Amino acid sequence: MTASSPNQSAAAEAYEPASIEQKWQQRWRERGTNSTNLQDGERPFYALMMFPYPSAEGLHVGNLFAFTGNDIYGRFQRLQGHTVFEPLGYDAFGIHSENYALKVGEHPMRLIPRNIANFRRQLERGGLMVDWRYEVDTTDPGYYKWTQWIFLELYKRGLAYKKRAAVNWCPVDKTVLANEQVIAGQCERCGSEVEQRMLEQWFFRITDYAGRLLDNLDGLDWSETTKTAQRNWIGRSSGARVRFPLAADPGAAPHAAASGISTADGGSGPGSDAGSPELASSADSIEVFTTRPDTIFGATYMVLAPEHPLVDRITTPGQREAVDAYREYTRQQDLISRKVNKEKTGEFTGGHAVNPATGQLIPVWVADYVLMEYGTGAIMAVPGHDERDFEFATKFSLPIVRVVAGAGETAGTPLAEAYSGGGTLVNSGEFNGQDAEQSIGRITEWLHATGAADAQVNYRLHDWCISRQRYWGPPIPIVYCDSCGTVPVPESQLPVLLPDVEDFRPDDTGVSPLARHEQWYFTDCPSCGGKARRETDVSDTFLDSAWYFLRYPSAGRDDVPFDAELTKKWLPVDSYIGGNEHAVLHLLYSRFITMVLHDAGHLAFEEPFTRFRAHGLIIREGAKMSKSKGNVVNPDEFMDRWGVDTFRTFLMFLGPYEQGGDFRDQGISGVRRFLERLWSSSLVATNEGEPDASVLRKLHQTIRKAGEDISKLQYNTAIAAMMEYMNVLRAGERLPHRAEVDPLIQLVSPFAPHIAEELWERRGNEGSVFDVQWPTFDPELAKDDTITLAVQVGGRLRGTIQVPADVTQEDALAAALAEEGVSKFVTGEPRKVIYVKGRLLNLVV
RNA sequence: GCCGGAGUGGCGAAACUGGUAAACGCAAGCGACUCAAAAUCGCUCGUGCGCAAGCACCUACGGGUUCGAGUCCCGUCUCCGGCACCA
């Protein structure tokens, strides 16, 4: 009987994952195997995974896929001699929990703890190396106390401010919606058209950090896709801010007075505040932002966004009615949701401005293809060289002038469409004949000299609206006093507790439900002691998650948000793994908050995550998993049937971790077979005799391959390599030697920790397999002494030869020509011989 | 439209800086063991012609560079994800 014989392994004890897994999870708890020595641990390594939102449905297989991938990496780092900290927590505030609570009619304060308990059970079952002593729950007052503290830190530094802004409003559900709940302009819950309502909202001035957030990306070891997504989101464009003087128009002034919009203060000049167009447009000119100052000679008209404050002033009496009607129309359009790529609409204001380059009067229009939120809310229209302007000019018969001539074109070449490419400037006065791109700087200079322009960088990024007119979140720690105005709640009075009220339903006032609870709402002014009211908005869930990684090492501490010493030792995070759906918001907000805390002197670093890798998505049988399709993998079912180790390993075997994989139910049996073989081979392994040299060679090749692959998160190929080794180990009629099997147990341990512990113990070891070092790779043992060389004739494969690893070209050639399959294609001397050492020999004839 | 990513057997997938395409696994077929089945073990398994040896073809499609291309270059198509009138 051989080692692999069925009878022999049947005679040995069968592999029963359920009892082994239970045993070891119990043992880990008792021994504190997964407890990290935060104070004294050597070579600290912080392996962070994005914490889950504890839904009522329980753990999604996607969660487990993400966490297992992180766990393997963390365990691997531990085997490399690091003290690894792998904490986990719950992102439990927010609209999803609240909506679910509303749906089932249960209070989130009762519901969430139950969901968390279920999550914890499933997570513990997954065999993660999590130190549960440092669990974080964002809804815990001990946590959100510090979320509120962070708000105050920003407030102190002038980075939190209040302004009127539009919110998404569902008229049927009578509630404010988060952006992610609006799908194509409709409420994700009831499908009704979402409206915009104007409300006072709190914002964080993330735009102040746009440049740094962008520049720092270059130095981060992150997935390129994630960095690209952030770069696009921040959306830097450089160009110029140009002022177009208003033409004297006697008709305009009275309207300005009547409109009540102050345009006379002129208090802030150009460039003082990029995000605030009201201030940016001075009394007597329209400011625009352009990335193409080189085309300014072709600016034949201007367009203001319908909400632009200068519209009233510029509109002539004759056009007032039409302009007002148009603005009302666009307002209605906005309520319905803005449609992109519809036919352009607009209206002439009757007013004119002066093109500072040509000195010509050009008409000023109002149109909704210009957005108030970007730039200055006004543009110089260059129909010859901008697609949108071209479409608009064509429709309204506005002049189109060519100012850039591409290859083979002249000033007179007609424009059938906008030409946005490069070329030579034409119809551009003294700049004629110059290269368009190179003249951007020169023209900006030239305009700047007359006071008409400044070079300017603009960002697509908007300030972060953190207000939510909802119940289930941390109250924003602000009080409004009749005499003192807006007063921040002093740190000593934190947390501002979220009251446990039964009535948390949002209503159609557009104000947070908290406003209805008078005992909470009315309070004393922390400053003068007089009558005051609380801010009733709660903060965005993304604020909770923007700093949780700072909290883990200090979880439970009441005196500080994060301990200085522990933070110094453990942060920034060494490895962060999560979904790319958070590539922009969560990761950007976390970076922003970290930078602010750094600037405030609380942190020594300004980037929170040294390394980030996005994992892929799991689909099932070629289709996306969804509740409605009923094809969601229930992790508990699979773990019951196959065991946790098999399930974990299978998830990692599906495909490249960073790309995800297709969960084919049948495939899991192969992984189970692999573990069964590991089990039986380990039990029958012998100490007698010597290990086989060729098996050892394969072993060391596998040690190298597995280590390399795991550190690159290529778990699927690491597993394949171990399977290959298993096949070598079991080939032939012999019992495997312990020296051949024991290292394999260690290689498998990050993937299948329970079976590895069990076999490690049965082998006669006292402690945990995770407290020994990863097997060392010996390059000498891994070296092949004979290799297979591919032999090509004219680039086509004609045979293979077995040769010594260090064979010379001459010997290889001789051996190759001795092969009949090769020699029959070679007549006479080869013209040329290409020899790639260890790979192939190509004879060119 | 723009920005990412991807197209390889029946299926999930491998392939280091250009060097034997399909490792590993699933499914399928045949065989051993068994009264039988399951499990287990062994063999076969890209397509075409062929008993075989072998030859030809094959990495979405069309070109190119090269002794040699899944990999590099040019062009085309399809799918997935994100952004969407960003001046």
Side-chain angles (χ1 to χ4, degrees), chain A residues 46 217 219-223 227 570-576 605 607-613:
Chain A
Y46 192 165
L217 282 174
L220 294 179
D221 176 13
W222 283 24
S223 309
K227 290 209 259 186
W570 287 94
L571 283 129
V573 169
D574 296 284
S575 163
Y576 193 23
F605 52 90
E607 284 293 340
F609 314 122
T610 307
R611 171 181 148 123
F612 171 75
R613 291 291 181 276

Side-chain angles (χ1 to χ4, degrees), chain A residues 390-667:
Chain A
F390 186 90
E391 187 192 333
F392 191 83
T394 307
K395 177 167 174 185
F396 293 104
S397 306
L398 290 159
I400 299 170
V401 174
R402 176 190 283 276
V403 290
V404 180
E409 293 174 333
T410 67
T413 311
L415 283 153
E417 57 180 11
Y419 173 67
S420 54
T424 310
L425 291 184
V426 293
N427 298 323
S428 298
E430 60 189 90
F431 294 95
N432 280 340
Q434 299 198 15
D435 179 75
E437 201 183 329
Q438 286 171 11
S439 63
I440 288 176
R442 286 195 285 264
I443 290 185
T444 306
E445 273 298 296
W446 176 69
L447 290 168
H448 181 73
T450 66
D454 300 288
Q456 160 120 26
V457 169
N458 220 12
Y459 296 97
R460 181 189 168 281
L461 183 70
H462 291 10
D463 274 344
W464 173 13
C465 176
I466 62 138
S467 279
R468 295 292 179 271
Q469 292 73 35
R470 283 291 193 134
Y471 170 73
W472 193 232
I476 291 174
I478 289 286
V479 161
Y480 301 103
C481 169
D482 292 338
S483 38
C484 310
T486 303
V487 182
V489 174
E491 195 182 319
S492 61
Q493 290 178 26
L494 297 182
V496 176
L497 280 176
L498 181 68
D500 184 351
V501 295
E502 278 313 307
D503 176 20
F504 60 90
R505 192 168 293 273
D507 62 25
D508 60 2
T509 58
V511 175
S512 162
L514 289 172
R516 293 196 300 265
H517 300 280
E518 298 189 355
Q519 279 161 294
W520 185 85
Y521 181 51
F522 293 108
T523 186
D524 299 334
C525 171
S527 175
C528 71
K531 276 186 72 172
R533 293 154 288 120
R534 288 193 186 281
E535 168 62 63
T536 57
D537 285 358
V538 299
S539 58
D540 183 4
T541 325
F542 278 114
L543 182 57
D544 303 328
S545 58
W547 75 283
Y548 76 108
F549 47 90
L550 297 171
R551 182 63 175 172
Y552 278 131
S554 311
R557 283 281 288 274
D558 196 43
D559 53 337
V560 285
F562 38 85
D563 178 85
E565 283 302 304
L566 288 176
T567 302
K568 196 174 155 200
K569 187 174 168 85
W570 287 94
L571 283 129
V573 169
D574 296 284
S575 163
Y576 193 23
I577 287 179
N580 222 4
E581 69 273 18
H582 292 117
V584 176
L585 298 181
H586 162 63
L587 287 170
L588 195 66
Y589 293 151
S590 299
R591 296 179 59 219
F592 165 61
I593 292 295
T594 302
M595 271 181 203
V596 173
L597 292 174
H598 166 264
D599 291 353
H602 298 299
L603 295 173
F605 52 90
E606 60 174 46
E607 284 293 340
F609 314 122
T610 307
R611 171 181 148 123
F612 171 75
R613 291 291 181 276
H615 65 249
L617 240 57
I618 303 260
I619 57 172
R620 189 185 200 180
E621 308 285 345
K624 216 170 178 173
M625 275 184 251
S626 75
K627 259 192 294 178
S628 54
K629 278 189 220 139
N631 65 342
V632 177
V633 172
N634 178 343
D636 277 326
E637 268 172 37
F638 278 86
M639 290 192 285
D640 286 344
R641 170 141 183 232
W642 297 97
V644 174
D645 284 334
T646 298
F647 189 61
R648 283 170 58 107
T649 310
F650 179 53
L651 285 178
M652 297 301 109
F653 188 57
L654 291 177
Y657 186 63
E658 294 185 64
Q659 281 168 47
D662 189 357
F663 194 103
R664 304 254 161 192
D665 293 12
Q666 264 182 329

Side-chain angles (χ1 to χ4, degrees), chain A residues 257-478:
Chain A
S259 73
I261 293 172
S262 167
T263 50
D265 63 25
S268 66
S272 68
D273 186 344
S276 180
E278 293 101 305
L279 298 175
S281 291
S282 63
D284 50 6
S285 66
I286 299 173
E287 280 205 323
V288 302
F289 172 73
T290 177
T291 54
R292 295 289 306 272
D294 55 316
T295 63
I296 192 167
F297 286 86
T300 52
Y301 66 102
M302 301 188 78
V303 183
L304 301 178
E307 313 93 303
H308 197 286
L310 279 179
V311 173
D312 267 318
R313 172 154 177 225
I314 288 171
T315 304
T316 56
Q319 285 299 99
R320 172 144 304 270
E321 207 174 310
V323 167
D324 284 349
Y326 181 69
R327 294 171 90 186
E328 176 56 23
Y329 157 80
T330 58
R331 212 175 61 81
Q332 293 297 332
Q333 289 286 303
D334 271 2
L335 292 183
I336 293 166
S337 84
R338 200 188 288 266
K339 280 208 188 69
V340 180
N341 293 338
K342 60 163 191 183
E343 195 180 333
K344 299 256 181 301
T345 58
E347 191 58 67
F348 180 41
T349 63
H352 291 81
V354 180
N355 181 329
T358 64
Q360 287 180 335
L361 275 187
I362 56 176
V364 180
W365 283 63
V366 54
D368 67 352
Y369 82 93
V370 172
L371 308 175
M372 197 61 220
E373 310 89 75
Y374 186 75
T376 63
I379 60 156
M380 65 175 208
V382 184
H385 306 283
D386 181 281
E387 214 179 297
R388 296 151 301 178
D389 298 342
F390 186 90
E391 187 192 333
F392 191 83
T394 307
K395 177 167 174 185
F396 293 104
S397 306
L398 290 159
I400 299 170
V401 174
R402 176 190 283 276
V403 290
V404 180
E409 293 174 333
T410 67
T413 311
L415 283 153
E417 57 180 11
Y419 173 67
S420 54
T424 310
L425 291 184
V426 293
N427 298 323
S428 298
E430 60 189 90
F431 294 95
N432 280 340
Q434 299 198 15
D435 179 75
E437 201 183 329
Q438 286 171 11
S439 63
I440 288 176
R442 286 195 285 264
I443 290 185
T444 306
E445 273 298 296
W446 176 69
L447 290 168
H448 181 73
T450 66
D454 300 288
Q456 160 120 26
V457 169
N458 220 12
Y459 296 97
R460 181 189 168 281
L461 183 70
H462 291 10
D463 274 344
W464 173 13
C465 176
I466 62 138
S467 279
R468 295 292 179 271
Q469 292 73 35
R470 283 291 193 134
Y471 170 73
W472 193 232
I476 291 174
I478 289 286

Side-chain angles (χ1 to χ4, degrees), chain A residues 114-142:
Chain A
R114 218 174 47 231
N115 290 352
I116 287 182
N118 185 42
F119 253 66
R120 190 183 298 115
R121 178 190 64 76
Q122 288 185 300
L123 288 166
E124 288 193 62
R125 186 174 183 193
L128 303 172
M129 198 176 70
V130 166
D131 189 343
W132 292 104
R133 297 173 304 167
Y134 296 93
E135 198 178 50
V136 155
D137 168 5
T138 56
T139 67
D140 180 350

